Amino acid sequence: MTAADHMLDRYAALAVKIGVNVQPGQTLVVNAPLSTAELVRKIAKTAYQAGAKHVHTDWTDDELTRIRYDLAPDEAFTEFPMWRAKAYEEMAENGAAFLFITATNPDLLKGVNPERIAAANKAAGTAMYTFRSYTMNNRVSWSVIAAPSPAWAAKVFPNLPESEQLNALWDAIFRATRIDADDPVTAWRNHQAALNEKVAYLNGKQYRCLHFKAPGTDLSVQLPPGHRWLGGGSVNANGTPFMANIPTEEVFTAPLKEGVNGVVRSTKPLNHNGNLIENFTLRFERGRIVEVTAETGVEVLQKVIETDEGSRYLGEVALVPHRSPISQSNLIFYNTLFDENASNHLAIGNAYPVCLEDGANLSREELEQRGLNTSLMHVDFMIGSAEMDIDGELADGTREPVFRGGNWAF
């Protein structure tokens, strides 16, 4: 076995045993690009060895996606195959685990009419809403990992010879996911323990508001009564632990829907469905986005915000220290899975119900009544830097430092 095969085997094992944590007799659904076939085969082998009953693979392909956006009629983007949505719902109802592999070219949809992208996102979001409630409520085990593609590797490492780009991105992914550690499983357990300490501290404080200050950012974010901070691993409805994002460096909660005021500036490019949105600013009044500017991709960002009423509000606030391993790599991955774990970030759209006490058992209307936002969208964007300070405001109005100079202040 080559060293590369050994690392890929470790990665597959991490995805199966720590990511989705496949249980005996369980079905695993893998959503993956064709370019990741070798990794998917190793994942399937590992899953069956762990006792999986079925491994279903739902393949995607960047080239086919681009062909569709270039040549399909406009009405095609207002439709989504309901058989596919129903299949995911049925498998979720039966306790399947879901592994999503991302390897998208950051420039895949460059030049495509934003109206088409927006229509497709809305159609998919509407059709898959019920399934996504299973993941956002942690009713099922799910995880997202990444694998390189040539186009993605070229974007991250444009100055390397083409023959070296793919391996360079694999190495960066292995470092970010702790696969290069002597014992990756132990490394992840230790990492989880460190995140748990931050979660416990913040949950104990129950700040009523967070104040963010940095160049171009002056933002206050109120938190709803009974909010919960989360980080690292989760537990599904059956009590089985899983790790939704690999890598993950964040602790996060949900903001009060109408409690966000001020202005925030992005600090990393946002790759949204194959379009890059760069150097953008959002201004909020009573939670609602009232002004948008961007150096590139402003039309795409505007369409995201116009998806539905909830996409004009925030659904997540997440804290990540500037000294996190991914940030210290000094790489821009042009992939939210990695870039959001190098930076404090916010998310436009739907909130995770589990960020509220007993939230997983509440209806959509009840969540809204408790101050959480609901939407078809959930789009993370990065705002952190080494220049960011964050204060937490207690119930009596006292302010305490949470971040100083981009890092934890406690």
Side-chain angles (χ1 to χ4, degrees), residues 345-383:
H345 56 275
L346 305 170
I348 294 167
N350 205 45
Y352 286 96
V354 290
C355 289
L356 198 62
E357 289 177 7
D358 200 38
N361 299 316
L362 300 181
S363 67
R364 184 171 183 173
E365 293 73 21
E366 289 170 328
L367 290 169
E368 287 273 4
Q369 289 170 5
R370 294 276 298 275
L372 261 63
N373 189 38
T374 61
S375 172
L376 297 175
M377 303 300 289
H378 183 91
V379 179
D380 297 275
F381 64 97
M382 286 59 73
I383 65 168

Side-chain angles (χ1 to χ4, degrees), residues 81-91 93 127-128 130:
M82 287 307 299
W83 58 264
R84 187 178 183 213
K86 293 299 183 184
Y88 272 69
E89 289 174 26
E90 181 180 324
M91 289 185 288
E93 289 166 4
M128 297 292 284
T130 299

